[in-house]
Amino acid sequence: MPSSSSPPPHSPEVPLAPAYSQAAKLPTPTAEYMRTMYPPNLKLIQAQVFFRHGERTPVRTRLFDQSTWPFCQRANHLHADFMKAVGRFVPRAEALPVPDLQRKGDARYTEATGADKCGVEYEPAAWSVRLEPSKLDDGMSGGAKEQARGTWDPSACDMGQLTDVGLESLRRTGAFLRALYVDRLGFLPETPENPHDWLYARTTDYSRVIQSTHALLVGLYPPAAASGAWPAFDRDFLRRFPLHTRMHAKETMHGNFGCFNFIRHYLDATTQDARRLKWIDDVHRQVVGLQSIGARAREMLAAPHFGSNYHPIYDELVSLRAHGAELPGDIGADFLESLGAAAHHQWTGHVRSLEGQRLGFGRLVDNVLQTMAQAAALTPAQVADPATRPRIGVQASDDLLLAPGAVRPPQPDEVPRVPKLALYGGHDITVAPLAIILGSTDRTWLPFASMLTIELFSDTTAYKGLANDLPRPATVPKDLDTRGYFVRVRLNDKVLRVPTCEVSAKHHPGAGSDMCTLAAFFEHLAPVVASEGEYKAECGTMPTKEL
């Protein structure tokens, strides 16, 4: 089983993942890799990095009678640090669960935290997990039961909680970004001075994503070797690294489930629809035929489900495997991959259509393009000196700052400048759809800690590429000169080829179709970005009765 006690080493290199790791594979920034990917004529201007949170416990367990997941020793302490830092920590002894109407009966919130949420919907893991009376041995004496009810297990995880394994995976992601952008390229500063001038970090309001963002930053800027411990996720950390989030209703990184013509494709998914494809029918017959989980899997698959019928089964199995647990002998790696592919097909099928991309993720794509356009508009002096850059634009107008003592809108001088590095902490249903929009043809479920990187370059040679006469979203200034700018997209250890950029005139002549011209990149994404009027008309009206 993985250990959660060893402190992170202070090293510019990327630590090795454990053998049982289910985290995404990252490239190795060798000398040859750097020569190929970052030739001297291409100057990196900006990197926007979307990442999935690290390994977690399953959102719900139904296949196995596993009552505890003892993988959250450090994660529990760091989560308590964070909740104290933003003024939302409530001791478990004072926490009386009440239903949360916005989450339709989810009782993980308390009266105290629910009244103090300010509209930000945290999914908080508790400080630690009290043993449930229903899980107690009926043979215990009355005194033993009372003692057990009062027992705290500081390593126990809640469901859907980032674990210590997940923390380590995101620290490795941060270490990779440091090796690449600090040590190899000198693109980012050695120490994180004045981060408002060059860093924009945004996360959804899920605690597993907030903590993953903390872990990534620990890897990117690790403590000195002499400190020997993880930096606390406290007020000092929030002052050092400003983190932004949004109210749930304003979040663009989940897919827009407030849009009826998008969400209706995810309501009441059934296996009957998916099994029209023979390969999914094969997977279905395999899973219900398994001696170990077949009976329970059959019950789970019989009922309609939001998004995917196969994903809850896959999620529980891959979460076990990600923490070093042995799966039953009749469940092999190939079968698990096929099950994940069936879940991926159900979840992302609609995103392969222009309507799904436009209604579900058009607003997020627009955020990315505006941030990129602002970077391309910088003067040479502003590129060289981040402190002279303008503040980030309207794409961040819905942001809230996870500030010491409060979650609040940022003050004018707290709004980040046009960033060199933008970090977006999200989910599988954030990164996978964006990857599909940008050309990914992968059919498997996205691993934990997956990373989609969108890099903007300028060519320092005389080559200027295409003129500015290609279509672009209305939110990108018409007078922006895109000549000499190029974009590359990487999903984990693979470069994606954006379909529009396959044409020879629409990519860099030296780097090939792996490197879009900025004009062609805008052209590819222009149909995905709708105006506010188009968006409202195309979404339709949400039914008045509860979905």
Side-chain angles (χ1 to χ4, degrees):
M1 287 294 179
S3 169
S4 62
S5 59
S6 58
H10 180 71
S11 170
E13 300 306 318
V14 184
L16 294 176
Y20 51 78
S21 175
Q22 297 298 296
K25 294 181 179 178
L26 296 172
T28 302
T30 62
E32 178 60 29
Y33 179 87
M34 298 304 297
R35 280 194 296 270
T36 302
M37 298 290 285
Y38 299 93
N41 62 299
L42 292 175
K43 178 181 177 63
L44 183 61
I45 302 297
Q46 184 182 74
Q48 298 191 63
V49 178
F50 288 83
F51 58 93
R52 185 189 177 194
H53 57 75
E55 290 90 329
R56 56 159 171 74
T57 56
V59 174
R60 186 176 177 185
T61 57
R62 288 184 276 191
L63 294 174
F64 303 102
D65 296 322
Q66 176 150 343
S67 58
T68 61
W69 289 70
F71 307 110
C72 294
Q73 182 90 31
R74 178 179 289 126
N76 281 333
H77 282 273
L78 291 175
H79 183 267
D81 286 345
F82 167 73
M83 294 299 274
K84 290 174 183 175
V86 295
R88 277 158 173 72
F89 178 77
V90 177
R92 193 61 178 260
E94 300 174 15
L96 300 175
V98 295
D100 182 274
L101 296 179
Q102 290 177 307
R103 290 195 182 275
K104 302 178 183 178
D106 187 335
R108 281 175 288 184
Y109 297 128
T110 71
E111 289 188 7
T113 54
D116 196 28
K117 284 192 299 175
C118 299
V120 176
E121 295 188 29
Y122 289 106
E123 237 189 359
W127 158 243
S128 55
V129 178
R130 187 183 296 273
L131 295 178
E132 304 255 354
S134 61
K135 302 281 173 60
L136 299 177
D137 185 354
D138 287 338
M140 282 183 175
S141 66
K145 283 186 178 182
E146 287 304 313
Q147 183 178 4
R149 286 192 182 99
T151 300
W152 294 88
D153 180 359
S155 68
C157 309
D158 209 341
M159 292 295 93
Q161 182 181 351
L162 184 77
T163 65
D164 295 349
V165 175
L167 284 169
E168 288 293 332
S169 291
L170 265 296
R171 183 178 67 85
R172 281 193 298 275
T173 300
F176 166 75
L177 293 177
R178 180 175 182 85
L180 180 63
Y181 291 140
V182 178
D183 300 325
R184 303 292 193 274
L185 292 174
F187 175 64
L188 297 180
E190 283 279 344
T191 57
E193 304 297 332
N194 303 313
H196 275 112
D197 292 343
W198 54 269
L199 174 68
Y200 173 59
R202 178 180 148 199
T203 164
T204 67
D205 61 3
Y206 283 64
S207 61
R208 58 180 174 263
V209 184
I210 295 170
Q211 284 192 267
S212 292
T213 306
H214 169 252
L216 185 152
L217 289 167
V218 168
L220 180 59
Y221 287 103
S227 68
W230 274 70
F233 199 178
D234 56 11
R235 295 187 177 203
D236 286 341
F237 190 90
L238 293 176
R239 292 187 188 100
R240 190 182 187 205
F241 295 106
L243 303 181
H244 301 80
T245 191
R246 295 187 180 183
M247 290 192 294
H248 201 72
K250 299 284 189 178
E251 186 55 75
T252 58
M253 287 201 283
H254 291 144
N256 186 11
F257 294 121
C259 173
F260 177 66
N261 283 330
F262 180 72
I263 195 175
R264 67 185 178 87
H265 293 276
Y266 296 86
L267 297 172
D268 297 332
T270 65
T271 57
Q272 286 76 13
D273 291 336
R275 290 177 69 186
R276 293 174 184 172
L277 295 175
K278 183 183 181 302
W279 72 269
I280 292 185
D281 185 60
D282 291 341
V283 172
H284 185 97
R285 287 186 288 103
Q286 286 178 322
V287 70
V288 299
L290 292 172
Q291 183 176 358
S292 59
I293 64 169
R296 292 192 179 186
R298 186 185 297 274
E299 293 176 4
M300 294 169 65
L301 292 171
H305 200 278
F306 185 83
S308 170
N309 311 83
Y310 298 99
H311 182 258
I313 301 172
Y314 173 78
D315 183 54
E316 189 169 347
L317 294 173
V318 80
S319 296
L320 281 165
R321 193 176 180 195
H323 294 89
E326 291 286 339
L327 295 182
D330 56 354
I331 300 176
D334 290 343
F335 167 75
L336 193 59
E337 183 173 324
S338 296
L339 186 62
H344 182 272
H345 174 81
Q346 282 189 301
W347 257 113
T348 65
H350 186 49
V351 181
R352 297 183 187 280
S353 70
L354 178 58
E355 181 194 62
Q357 296 176 7
R358 188 173 168 93
L359 299 185
F361 295 92
R363 289 177 169 181
L364 179 57
V365 168
D366 191 32
N367 292 167
V368 173
L369 295 184
Q370 289 188 53
T371 302
M372 183 177 289
Q374 284 188 295
L378 295 172
T379 66
Q382 290 171 333
V383 171
D385 183 4
T388 64
R389 298 181 177 197
R391 303 284 176 181
I392 199 169
V394 296
Q395 66 269 34
S397 59
D398 292 323
D399 284 3
L400 297 172
L401 187 64
L402 296 174
V407 180
R408 57 172 175 75
Q411 298 296 318
D413 62 349
E414 294 175 324
V415 175
R417 298 187 186 278
V418 177
K420 299 181 78 169
L421 175 66
L423 297 173
Y424 303 87
H427 307 259
D428 38 19
I429 60 170
T430 308
V431 182
L434 277 181
I436 290 169
I437 291 169
L438 294 173
S440 174
T441 57
D442 277 358
R443 300 286 175 171
T444 55
W445 195 265
L446 203 70
F448 293 111
S450 285
M451 181 169 57
L452 181 76
T453 305
I454 305 170
E455 295 174 316
L456 175 68
F457 297 87
S458 66
D459 190 340
T460 57
T461 68
Y463 180 79
K464 292 298 181 183
L466 285 180
N468 294 321
D469 56 355
L470 293 177
R472 62 179 64 181
T475 50
V476 173
K478 292 182 179 180
D479 60 351
L480 177 66
D481 188 356
T482 62
R483 292 173 298 174
Y485 288 97
F486 300 87
V487 180
R488 182 174 60 212
V489 182
R490 188 180 68 243
L491 178 62
N492 298 323
D493 60 348
K494 298 178 181 177
V495 174
L496 299 184
R497 291 189 173 182
V498 179
T500 300
C501 306
E502 296 281 355
V503 178
S504 60
K506 296 183 178 181
H507 57 247
H508 194 283
S513 55
D514 289 352
M515 185 80 72
C516 284
T517 64
L518 179 56
F521 192 74
F522 285 155
E523 179 191 21
H524 178 75
L525 293 173
V528 179
V529 179
S531 69
E532 192 62 24
E534 292 170 333
Y535 172 80
K536 289 180 178 178
E538 293 172 26
C539 276
T541 303
M542 192 73 74
T544 53
K545 79 174 194 178
E546 189 176 315
L547 294 173

